[in-house]
Amino acid sequence: ACLMLLDCKIQVSMLSCLKNSLGCRNIILSFHFYNPHLFTHYKAEWTDMKNLNVAIHYPGELIAQEEYAQLSDDDKKIVDPYMGTYNRAVLESLVRKAMNQAGKYGLQLHCGEFGCYNKTPRADKIDWLQDVISIFRDNNIAYSYWEYKAGFGFCNSKGEVTDQEVLNLLTK
């Protein structure tokens, strides 16, 4: 018998195109979870959000309407796809898409990447991580945090823990 890890390197929303044409049950379906992307990649230098100057929030309304109204038209185009209210129930409904797809084929599920960039507001990041990790644990989804010693991490470049709270969330 063999074991295959099918790492889709895709977001949950793209899993609907998956077909298990191999008929094999020894496959682990792996997905990435960065929802909402504007939140998890807030002000990341390689994104079109790098110069975005608006407060973001989790849980609740991602961007308050008063703050949205003050954005330039260009910035509104960046944030429009992410506007809405996010909480544990919303995140779980997004993860449920992956659970349904894995269940359809009798596959185990693994989140191969998730996390928040270091410019995401701290308290909101912790709330998001608590919710996402609890969703994974409550639904028996294995997970891997992206990453441990850079912009999303909990260690410095020498591997020394710089964010014990995040490490505790991941390992408790």
mmCIF file of all heavy atoms in Angstrom, residues 15-61:
data_model
loop_
_atom_site.group_PDB
_atom_site.id
_atom_site.type_symbol
_atom_site.label_atom_id
_atom_site.label_comp_id
_atom_site.label_asym_id
_atom_site.label_seq_id
_atom_site.Cartn_x
_atom_site.Cartn_y
_atom_site.Cartn_z
ATOM 1 N N LEU A 15 -11.257 23.833 -4.634
ATOM 2 C CA LEU A 15 -11.273 22.381 -4.485
ATOM 3 C C LEU A 15 -12.407 21.695 -5.231
ATOM 4 O O LEU A 15 -12.360 20.497 -5.448
ATOM 5 C CB LEU A 15 -11.359 22.004 -3.005
ATOM 6 C CG LEU A 15 -10.090 22.207 -2.199
ATOM 7 C CD1 LEU A 15 -10.372 21.975 -0.727
ATOM 8 C CD2 LEU A 15 -8.983 21.300 -2.681
ATOM 9 N N SER A 16 -13.413 22.445 -5.645
ATOM 10 C CA SER A 16 -14.576 21.811 -6.270
ATOM 11 C C SER A 16 -14.228 21.115 -7.587
ATOM 12 O O SER A 16 -14.955 20.236 -8.030
ATOM 13 C CB SER A 16 -15.685 22.832 -6.501
ATOM 14 O OG SER A 16 -15.220 23.844 -7.372
ATOM 15 N N CYS A 17 -13.109 21.481 -8.198
ATOM 16 C CA CYS A 17 -12.723 20.859 -9.468
ATOM 17 C C CYS A 17 -12.009 19.521 -9.267
ATOM 18 O O CYS A 17 -11.753 18.806 -10.219
ATOM 19 C CB CYS A 17 -11.847 21.806 -10.282
ATOM 20 S SG CYS A 17 -10.274 22.182 -9.488
ATOM 21 N N LEU A 18 -11.722 19.152 -8.023
ATOM 22 C CA LEU A 18 -11.002 17.913 -7.740
ATOM 23 C C LEU A 18 -11.847 16.695 -8.058
ATOM 24 O O LEU A 18 -13.012 16.614 -7.734
ATOM 25 C CB LEU A 18 -10.608 17.874 -6.266
ATOM 26 C CG LEU A 18 -9.943 16.585 -5.789
ATOM 27 C CD1 LEU A 18 -8.535 16.487 -6.351
ATOM 28 C CD2 LEU A 18 -9.914 16.537 -4.284
ATOM 29 N N LYS A 19 -11.208 15.742 -8.685
ATOM 30 C CA LYS A 19 -11.840 14.446 -8.945
ATOM 31 C C LYS A 19 -10.839 13.366 -8.551
ATOM 32 O O LYS A 19 -9.673 13.441 -8.884
ATOM 33 C CB LYS A 19 -12.194 14.311 -10.426
ATOM 34 C CG LYS A 19 -13.268 15.266 -10.868
ATOM 35 C CD LYS A 19 -13.608 15.034 -12.330
ATOM 36 C CE LYS A 19 -14.767 15.837 -12.786
ATOM 37 N NZ LYS A 19 -14.665 17.242 -12.746
ATOM 38 N N ASN A 20 -11.296 12.382 -7.815
ATOM 39 C CA ASN A 20 -10.427 11.275 -7.416
ATOM 40 C C ASN A 20 -10.506 10.176 -8.473
ATOM 41 O O ASN A 20 -11.138 9.156 -8.284
ATOM 42 C CB ASN A 20 -10.819 10.744 -6.041
ATOM 43 C CG ASN A 20 -9.847 9.675 -5.545
ATOM 44 O OD1 ASN A 20 -8.880 9.358 -6.219
ATOM 45 N ND2 ASN A 20 -10.114 9.133 -4.379
ATOM 46 N N SER A 21 -9.862 10.433 -9.590
ATOM 47 C CA SER A 21 -9.910 9.466 -10.692
ATOM 48 C C SER A 21 -9.048 8.236 -10.411
ATOM 49 O O SER A 21 -9.149 7.236 -11.105
ATOM 50 C CB SER A 21 -9.474 10.141 -11.991
ATOM 51 O OG SER A 21 -8.177 10.668 -11.847
ATOM 52 N N LEU A 22 -8.198 8.320 -9.394
ATOM 53 C CA LEU A 22 -7.358 7.176 -9.060
ATOM 54 C C LEU A 22 -8.132 6.108 -8.299
ATOM 55 O O LEU A 22 -7.716 4.956 -8.257
ATOM 56 C CB LEU A 22 -6.164 7.625 -8.213
ATOM 57 C CG LEU A 22 -5.216 8.644 -8.846
ATOM 58 C CD1 LEU A 22 -4.180 9.082 -7.828
ATOM 59 C CD2 LEU A 22 -4.552 8.052 -10.066
ATOM 60 N N GLY A 23 -9.227 6.508 -7.678
ATOM 61 C CA GLY A 23 -9.999 5.566 -6.878
ATOM 62 C C GLY A 23 -9.244 5.079 -5.661
ATOM 63 O O GLY A 23 -9.530 4.024 -5.115
ATOM 64 N N CYS A 24 -8.273 5.826 -5.225
ATOM 65 C CA CYS A 24 -7.401 5.443 -4.114
ATOM 66 C C CYS A 24 -7.858 6.121 -2.832
ATOM 67 O O CYS A 24 -8.164 7.302 -2.828
ATOM 68 C CB CYS A 24 -5.967 5.845 -4.447
ATOM 69 S SG CYS A 24 -4.783 5.458 -3.142
ATOM 70 N N ARG A 25 -7.888 5.375 -1.735
ATOM 71 C CA ARG A 25 -8.269 5.940 -0.438
ATOM 72 C C ARG A 25 -7.041 6.363 0.373
ATOM 73 O O ARG A 25 -7.180 6.944 1.434
ATOM 74 C CB ARG A 25 -9.094 4.939 0.352
ATOM 75 C CG ARG A 25 -10.406 4.624 -0.315
ATOM 76 C CD ARG A 25 -11.532 4.909 0.635
ATOM 77 N NE ARG A 25 -12.794 4.545 0.020
ATOM 78 C CZ ARG A 25 -13.726 5.426 -0.258
ATOM 79 N NH1 ARG A 25 -13.540 6.685 0.024
ATOM 80 N NH2 ARG A 25 -14.853 5.046 -0.796
ATOM 81 N N ASN A 26 -5.849 6.057 -0.096
ATOM 82 C CA ASN A 26 -4.627 6.409 0.619
ATOM 83 C C ASN A 26 -4.102 7.766 0.163
ATOM 84 O O ASN A 26 -2.912 7.942 -0.072
ATOM 85 C CB ASN A 26 -3.552 5.337 0.423
ATOM 86 C CG ASN A 26 -3.943 4.038 1.081
ATOM 87 O OD1 ASN A 26 -4.660 4.036 2.077
ATOM 88 N ND2 ASN A 26 -3.505 2.933 0.527
ATOM 89 N N ILE A 27 -5.001 8.702 0.034
ATOM 90 C CA ILE A 27 -4.650 10.063 -0.370
ATOM 91 C C ILE A 27 -5.056 11.010 0.745
ATOM 92 O O ILE A 27 -6.132 10.877 1.323
ATOM 93 C CB ILE A 27 -5.365 10.464 -1.677
ATOM 94 C CG1 ILE A 27 -4.911 9.580 -2.837
ATOM 95 C CG2 ILE A 27 -5.122 11.940 -2.001
ATOM 96 C CD1 ILE A 27 -5.674 9.814 -4.122
ATOM 97 N N ILE A 28 -4.194 11.949 1.059
ATOM 98 C CA ILE A 28 -4.519 13.024 1.986
ATOM 99 C C ILE A 28 -4.654 14.285 1.151
ATOM 100 O O ILE A 28 -3.734 14.664 0.431
ATOM 101 C CB ILE A 28 -3.419 13.203 3.050
ATOM 102 C CG1 ILE A 28 -3.270 11.933 3.891
ATOM 103 C CG2 ILE A 28 -3.739 14.409 3.936
ATOM 104 C CD1 ILE A 28 -2.070 11.951 4.822
ATOM 105 N N LEU A 29 -5.801 14.906 1.223
ATOM 106 C CA LEU A 29 -6.051 16.134 0.484
ATOM 107 C C LEU A 29 -5.572 17.317 1.314
ATOM 108 O O LEU A 29 -5.981 17.493 2.459
ATOM 109 C CB LEU A 29 -7.547 16.266 0.190
ATOM 110 C CG LEU A 29 -7.974 17.513 -0.557
ATOM 111 C CD1 LEU A 29 -7.304 17.592 -1.922
ATOM 112 C CD2 LEU A 29 -9.484 17.534 -0.701
ATOM 113 N N SER A 30 -4.668 18.114 0.764
ATOM 114 C CA SER A 30 -4.104 19.249 1.472
ATOM 115 C C SER A 30 -4.508 20.543 0.781
ATOM 116 O O SER A 30 -4.502 20.634 -0.441
ATOM 117 C CB SER A 30 -2.567 19.128 1.512
ATOM 118 O OG SER A 30 -2.006 20.161 2.278
ATOM 119 N N PHE A 31 -4.867 21.542 1.571
ATOM 120 C CA PHE A 31 -5.282 22.841 1.046
ATOM 121 C C PHE A 31 -4.605 23.949 1.848
ATOM 122 O O PHE A 31 -4.043 23.707 2.910
ATOM 123 C CB PHE A 31 -6.808 22.985 1.102
ATOM 124 C CG PHE A 31 -7.360 23.061 2.505
ATOM 125 C CD1 PHE A 31 -7.677 24.282 3.072
ATOM 126 C CD2 PHE A 31 -7.553 21.918 3.264
ATOM 127 C CE1 PHE A 31 -8.171 24.364 4.372
ATOM 128 C CE2 PHE A 31 -8.048 21.981 4.554
ATOM 129 C CZ PHE A 31 -8.361 23.202 5.115
ATOM 130 N N HIS A 32 -4.667 25.165 1.336
ATOM 131 C CA HIS A 32 -4.153 26.344 2.034
ATOM 132 C C HIS A 32 -5.334 27.176 2.512
ATOM 133 O O HIS A 32 -6.362 27.230 1.842
ATOM 134 C CB HIS A 32 -3.293 27.193 1.100
ATOM 135 C CG HIS A 32 -2.085 26.475 0.596
ATOM 136 N ND1 HIS A 32 -1.208 27.063 -0.279
ATOM 137 C CD2 HIS A 32 -1.599 25.224 0.826
ATOM 138 C CE1 HIS A 32 -0.228 26.213 -0.558
ATOM 139 N NE2 HIS A 32 -0.461 25.085 0.100
ATOM 140 N N PHE A 33 -5.176 27.827 3.658
ATOM 141 C CA PHE A 33 -6.267 28.647 4.186
ATOM 142 C C PHE A 33 -5.743 30.009 4.619
ATOM 143 O O PHE A 33 -5.042 30.117 5.632
ATOM 144 C CB PHE A 33 -6.967 27.943 5.354
ATOM 145 C CG PHE A 33 -8.258 28.602 5.736
ATOM 146 C CD1 PHE A 33 -9.396 28.426 4.970
ATOM 147 C CD2 PHE A 33 -8.323 29.410 6.847
ATOM 148 C CE1 PHE A 33 -10.592 29.049 5.301
ATOM 149 C CE2 PHE A 33 -9.506 30.031 7.200
ATOM 150 C CZ PHE A 33 -10.639 29.851 6.429
ATOM 151 N N TYR A 34 -6.065 31.006 3.835
ATOM 152 C CA TYR A 34 -5.700 32.400 4.118
ATOM 153 C C TYR A 34 -6.920 33.281 3.893
ATOM 154 O O TYR A 34 -6.908 34.170 3.053
ATOM 155 C CB TYR A 34 -4.557 32.856 3.205
ATOM 156 C CG TYR A 34 -3.252 32.145 3.445
ATOM 157 C CD1 TYR A 34 -2.780 31.203 2.538
ATOM 158 C CD2 TYR A 34 -2.486 32.420 4.566
ATOM 159 C CE1 TYR A 34 -1.570 30.559 2.746
ATOM 160 C CE2 TYR A 34 -1.275 31.770 4.783
ATOM 161 C CZ TYR A 34 -0.826 30.845 3.866
ATOM 162 O OH TYR A 34 0.375 30.205 4.067
ATOM 163 N N ASN A 35 -7.979 33.019 4.623
ATOM 164 C CA ASN A 35 -9.220 33.760 4.435
ATOM 165 C C ASN A 35 -9.546 34.591 5.660
ATOM 166 O O ASN A 35 -9.481 34.060 6.763
ATOM 167 C CB ASN A 35 -10.380 32.801 4.164
ATOM 168 C CG ASN A 35 -10.181 32.019 2.902
ATOM 169 O OD1 ASN A 35 -9.498 31.007 2.914
ATOM 170 N ND2 ASN A 35 -10.741 32.478 1.825
ATOM 171 N N PRO A 36 -9.912 35.845 5.458
ATOM 172 C CA PRO A 36 -9.828 36.616 4.219
ATOM 173 C C PRO A 36 -8.377 37.034 3.939
ATOM 174 O O PRO A 36 -7.631 37.408 4.847
ATOM 175 C CB PRO A 36 -10.708 37.833 4.482
ATOM 176 C CG PRO A 36 -10.708 37.997 5.966
ATOM 177 C CD PRO A 36 -10.522 36.622 6.547
ATOM 178 N N HIS A 37 -8.008 36.951 2.697
ATOM 179 C CA HIS A 37 -6.631 37.215 2.267
ATOM 180 C C HIS A 37 -6.165 38.614 2.667
ATOM 181 O O HIS A 37 -5.014 38.813 3.054
ATOM 182 C CB HIS A 37 -6.528 37.010 0.755
ATOM 183 C CG HIS A 37 -5.130 36.901 0.263
ATOM 184 N ND1 HIS A 37 -4.461 37.958 -0.287
ATOM 185 C CD2 HIS A 37 -4.267 35.858 0.253
ATOM 186 C CE1 HIS A 37 -3.245 37.572 -0.623
ATOM 187 N NE2 HIS A 37 -3.100 36.312 -0.311
ATOM 188 N N LEU A 38 -7.045 39.587 2.578
ATOM 189 C CA LEU A 38 -6.694 40.959 2.979
ATOM 190 C C LEU A 38 -6.258 40.996 4.435
ATOM 191 O O LEU A 38 -5.352 41.746 4.805
ATOM 192 C CB LEU A 38 -7.890 41.890 2.752
ATOM 193 C CG LEU A 38 -7.735 43.335 3.207
ATOM 194 C CD1 LEU A 38 -6.663 44.044 2.399
ATOM 195 C CD2 LEU A 38 -9.057 44.078 3.081
ATOM 196 N N PHE A 39 -6.871 40.186 5.272
ATOM 197 C CA PHE A 39 -6.524 40.125 6.689
ATOM 198 C C PHE A 39 -5.211 39.375 6.905
ATOM 199 O O PHE A 39 -4.313 39.861 7.581
ATOM 200 C CB PHE A 39 -7.659 39.454 7.469
ATOM 201 C CG PHE A 39 -7.387 39.341 8.935
ATOM 202 C CD1 PHE A 39 -7.590 40.420 9.773
ATOM 203 C CD2 PHE A 39 -6.915 38.156 9.486
ATOM 204 C CE1 PHE A 39 -7.327 40.327 11.132
ATOM 205 C CE2 PHE A 39 -6.647 38.051 10.836
ATOM 206 C CZ PHE A 39 -6.854 39.141 11.659
ATOM 207 N N THR A 40 -5.085 38.190 6.336
ATOM 208 C CA THR A 40 -3.912 37.350 6.605
ATOM 209 C C THR A 40 -2.639 37.879 5.955
ATOM 210 O O THR A 40 -1.542 37.568 6.412
ATOM 211 C CB THR A 40 -4.148 35.904 6.146
ATOM 212 O OG1 THR A 40 -4.360 35.875 4.734
ATOM 213 C CG2 THR A 40 -5.323 35.273 6.877
ATOM 214 N N HIS A 41 -2.780 38.677 4.906
ATOM 215 C CA HIS A 41 -1.621 39.235 4.202
ATOM 216 C C HIS A 41 -1.574 40.761 4.323
ATOM 217 O O HIS A 41 -1.032 41.441 3.462
ATOM 218 C CB HIS A 41 -1.657 38.817 2.734
ATOM 219 C CG HIS A 41 -1.295 37.387 2.532
ATOM 220 N ND1 HIS A 41 -2.108 36.352 2.938
ATOM 221 C CD2 HIS A 41 -0.199 36.816 1.988
ATOM 222 C CE1 HIS A 41 -1.526 35.209 2.643
ATOM 223 N NE2 HIS A 41 -0.367 35.457 2.063
ATOM 224 N N TYR A 42 -2.109 41.282 5.403
ATOM 225 C CA TYR A 42 -2.214 42.724 5.609
ATOM 226 C C TYR A 42 -0.851 43.416 5.464
ATOM 227 O O TYR A 42 0.109 43.062 6.147
ATOM 228 C CB TYR A 42 -2.798 42.994 6.992
ATOM 229 C CG TYR A 42 -3.063 44.437 7.296
ATOM 230 C CD1 TYR A 42 -3.984 45.166 6.561
ATOM 231 C CD2 TYR A 42 -2.415 45.073 8.338
ATOM 232 C CE1 TYR A 42 -4.249 46.492 6.847
ATOM 233 C CE2 TYR A 42 -2.676 46.401 8.644
ATOM 234 C CZ TYR A 42 -3.581 47.105 7.898
ATOM 235 O OH TYR A 42 -3.836 48.421 8.181
ATOM 236 N N LYS A 43 -0.792 44.320 4.524
ATOM 237 C CA LYS A 43 0.393 45.143 4.242
ATOM 238 C C LYS A 43 1.634 44.327 3.849
ATOM 239 O O LYS A 43 2.768 44.802 3.983
ATOM 240 C CB LYS A 43 0.701 46.089 5.396
ATOM 241 C CG LYS A 43 -0.383 47.135 5.597
ATOM 242 C CD LYS A 43 0.066 48.234 6.522
ATOM 243 C CE LYS A 43 -1.017 49.293 6.611
ATOM 244 N NZ LYS A 43 -0.553 50.521 7.224
ATOM 245 N N ALA A 44 1.436 43.123 3.354
ATOM 246 C CA ALA A 44 2.573 42.315 2.893
ATOM 247 C C ALA A 44 3.213 43.007 1.694
ATOM 248 O O ALA A 44 2.526 43.420 0.759
ATOM 249 C CB ALA A 44 2.109 40.911 2.520
ATOM 250 N N GLU A 45 4.523 43.142 1.725
ATOM 251 C CA GLU A 45 5.262 43.931 0.751
ATOM 252 C C GLU A 45 5.127 43.445 -0.691
ATOM 253 O O GLU A 45 5.310 44.210 -1.619
ATOM 254 C CB GLU A 45 6.747 43.995 1.129
ATOM 255 C CG GLU A 45 7.026 44.769 2.400
ATOM 256 C CD GLU A 45 6.812 43.953 3.680
ATOM 257 O OE1 GLU A 45 6.512 42.735 3.608
ATOM 258 O OE2 GLU A 45 6.935 44.544 4.768
ATOM 259 N N TRP A 46 4.812 42.184 -0.907
ATOM 260 C CA TRP A 46 4.730 41.624 -2.248
ATOM 261 C C TRP A 46 3.299 41.668 -2.811
ATOM 262 O O TRP A 46 3.047 41.121 -3.880
ATOM 263 C CB TRP A 46 5.265 40.197 -2.269
ATOM 264 C CG TRP A 46 4.480 39.247 -1.413
ATOM 265 C CD1 TRP A 46 3.451 38.449 -1.821
ATOM 266 C CD2 TRP A 46 4.649 39.007 -0.016
ATOM 267 N NE1 TRP A 46 2.953 37.727 -0.760
ATOM 268 C CE2 TRP A 46 3.681 38.053 0.364
ATOM 269 C CE3 TRP A 46 5.525 39.501 0.959
ATOM 270 C CZ2 TRP A 46 3.565 37.583 1.669
ATOM 271 C CZ3 TRP A 46 5.401 39.033 2.246
ATOM 272 C CH2 TRP A 46 4.442 38.091 2.593
ATOM 273 N N THR A 47 2.372 42.298 -2.084
ATOM 274 C CA THR A 47 0.980 42.334 -2.522
ATOM 275 C C THR A 47 0.557 43.741 -2.932
ATOM 276 O O THR A 47 1.251 44.721 -2.633
ATOM 277 C CB THR A 47 0.033 41.868 -1.398
ATOM 278 O OG1 THR A 47 0.023 42.865 -0.364
ATOM 279 C CG2 THR A 47 0.460 40.524 -0.828
ATOM 280 N N ASP A 48 -0.594 43.834 -3.568
ATOM 281 C CA ASP A 48 -1.144 45.146 -3.909
ATOM 282 C C ASP A 48 -1.703 45.845 -2.676
ATOM 283 O O ASP A 48 -2.137 46.987 -2.745
ATOM 284 C CB ASP A 48 -2.202 45.044 -5.012
ATOM 285 C CG ASP A 48 -3.385 44.165 -4.648
ATOM 286 O OD1 ASP A 48 -3.352 43.524 -3.567
ATOM 287 O OD2 ASP A 48 -4.341 44.113 -5.435
ATOM 288 N N MET A 49 -1.657 45.190 -1.526
ATOM 289 C CA MET A 49 -2.133 45.763 -0.263
ATOM 290 C C MET A 49 -1.023 46.436 0.533
ATOM 291 O O MET A 49 -1.264 46.948 1.616
ATOM 292 C CB MET A 49 -2.729 44.665 0.614
ATOM 293 C CG MET A 49 -3.830 43.885 -0.007
ATOM 294 S SD MET A 49 -4.254 42.491 1.054
ATOM 295 C CE MET A 49 -3.791 41.130 0.011
ATOM 296 N N LYS A 50 0.188 46.436 -0.009
ATOM 297 C CA LYS A 50 1.351 46.878 0.776
ATOM 298 C C LYS A 50 1.230 48.306 1.283
ATOM 299 O O LYS A 50 1.741 48.625 2.352
ATOM 300 C CB LYS A 50 2.631 46.698 -0.025
ATOM 301 C CG LYS A 50 2.706 47.536 -1.275
ATOM 302 C CD LYS A 50 3.963 47.230 -2.052
ATOM 303 C CE LYS A 50 3.855 47.864 -3.424
ATOM 304 N NZ LYS A 50 4.659 47.180 -4.391
ATOM 305 N N ASN A 51 0.556 49.182 0.560
ATOM 306 C CA ASN A 51 0.433 50.579 0.982
ATOM 307 C C ASN A 51 -0.952 50.926 1.492
ATOM 308 O O ASN A 51 -1.267 52.100 1.684
ATOM 309 C CB ASN A 51 0.797 51.508 -0.180
ATOM 310 C CG ASN A 51 2.245 51.328 -0.595
ATOM 311 O OD1 ASN A 51 3.133 51.235 0.245
ATOM 312 N ND2 ASN A 51 2.485 51.256 -1.884
ATOM 313 N N LEU A 52 -1.772 49.928 1.710
ATOM 314 C CA LEU A 52 -3.136 50.143 2.169
ATOM 315 C C LEU A 52 -3.120 50.739 3.570
ATOM 316 O O LEU A 52 -2.474 50.224 4.474
ATOM 317 C CB LEU A 52 -3.880 48.812 2.167
ATOM 318 C CG LEU A 52 -5.379 48.847 2.316
ATOM 319 C CD1 LEU A 52 -6.014 49.640 1.175
ATOM 320 C CD2 LEU A 52 -5.923 47.435 2.331
ATOM 321 N N ASN A 53 -3.810 51.836 3.742
ATOM 322 C CA ASN A 53 -3.813 52.522 5.030
ATOM 323 C C ASN A 53 -5.233 52.550 5.584
ATOM 324 O O ASN A 53 -5.911 53.573 5.531
ATOM 325 C CB ASN A 53 -3.247 53.932 4.895
ATOM 326 C CG ASN A 53 -2.975 54.558 6.252
ATOM 327 O OD1 ASN A 53 -2.860 53.864 7.252
ATOM 328 N ND2 ASN A 53 -2.880 55.870 6.272
ATOM 329 N N VAL A 54 -5.662 51.399 6.071
ATOM 330 C CA VAL A 54 -6.984 51.284 6.681
ATOM 331 C C VAL A 54 -6.906 50.215 7.764
ATOM 332 O O VAL A 54 -6.180 49.232 7.623
ATOM 333 C CB VAL A 54 -8.074 50.939 5.624
ATOM 334 C CG1 VAL A 54 -7.833 49.561 5.027
ATOM 335 C CG2 VAL A 54 -9.466 51.077 6.193
ATOM 336 N N ALA A 55 -7.621 50.450 8.849
ATOM 337 C CA ALA A 55 -7.636 49.467 9.932
ATOM 338 C C ALA A 55 -8.466 48.256 9.522
ATOM 339 O O ALA A 55 -9.500 48.399 8.864
ATOM 340 C CB ALA A 55 -8.219 50.101 11.192
ATOM 341 N N ILE A 56 -7.979 47.074 9.888
ATOM 342 C CA ILE A 56 -8.728 45.842 9.650
ATOM 343 C C ILE A 56 -9.043 45.204 10.993
ATOM 344 O O ILE A 56 -8.333 45.439 11.980
ATOM 345 C CB ILE A 56 -7.956 44.865 8.735
ATOM 346 C CG1 ILE A 56 -6.597 44.507 9.342
ATOM 347 C CG2 ILE A 56 -7.805 45.439 7.337
ATOM 348 C CD1 ILE A 56 -5.888 43.391 8.622
ATOM 349 N N HIS A 57 -10.097 44.398 10.994
ATOM 350 C CA HIS A 57 -10.581 43.849 12.262
ATOM 351 C C HIS A 57 -10.992 42.391 12.098
ATOM 352 O O HIS A 57 -11.466 41.988 11.041
ATOM 353 C CB HIS A 57 -11.793 44.645 12.746
ATOM 354 C CG HIS A 57 -11.593 46.120 12.710
ATOM 355 N ND1 HIS A 57 -10.893 46.795 13.664
ATOM 356 C CD2 HIS A 57 -11.977 47.051 11.792
ATOM 357 C CE1 HIS A 57 -10.855 48.083 13.363
ATOM 358 N NE2 HIS A 57 -11.511 48.263 12.230
ATOM 359 N N TYR A 58 -10.809 41.623 13.160
ATOM 360 C CA TYR A 58 -11.341 40.276 13.261
ATOM 361 C C TYR A 58 -11.532 39.980 14.743
ATOM 362 O O TYR A 58 -10.621 40.251 15.534
ATOM 363 C CB TYR A 58 -10.396 39.222 12.663
ATOM 364 C CG TYR A 58 -10.999 37.844 12.786
ATOM 365 C CD1 TYR A 58 -11.843 37.360 11.795
ATOM 366 C CD2 TYR A 58 -10.802 37.071 13.921
ATOM 367 C CE1 TYR A 58 -12.458 36.118 11.936
ATOM 368 C CE2 TYR A 58 -11.414 35.847 14.073
ATOM 369 C CZ TYR A 58 -12.234 35.378 13.078
ATOM 370 O OH TYR A 58 -12.851 34.169 13.223
ATOM 371 N N PRO A 59 -12.648 39.419 15.142
ATOM 372 C CA PRO A 59 -13.828 39.122 14.336
ATOM 373 C C PRO A 59 -14.659 40.382 14.117
ATOM 374 O O PRO A 59 -14.440 41.400 14.755
ATOM 375 C CB PRO A 59 -14.584 38.112 15.203
ATOM 376 C CG PRO A 59 -14.191 38.444 16.609
ATOM 377 C CD PRO A 59 -12.782 38.961 16.532
ATOM 378 N N GLY A 60 -15.607 40.261 13.220
ATOM 379 C CA GLY A 60 -16.516 41.371 12.930
ATOM 380 C C GLY A 60 -16.337 41.883 11.520
ATOM 381 O O GLY A 60 -15.805 41.197 10.642
ATOM 382 N N GLU A 61 -16.784 43.096 11.325
ATOM 383 C CA GLU A 61 -16.683 43.724 10.014
ATOM 384 C C GLU A 61 -15.203 43.962 9.715
ATOM 385 O O GLU A 61 -14.519 44.628 10.489
ATOM 386 C CB GLU A 61 -17.468 45.039 10.038
ATOM 387 C CG GLU A 61 -17.673 45.662 8.709
ATOM 388 C CD GLU A 61 -18.587 46.880 8.796
ATOM 389 O OE1 GLU A 61 -18.655 47.525 9.855
ATOM 390 O OE2 GLU A 61 -19.203 47.182 7.770
#
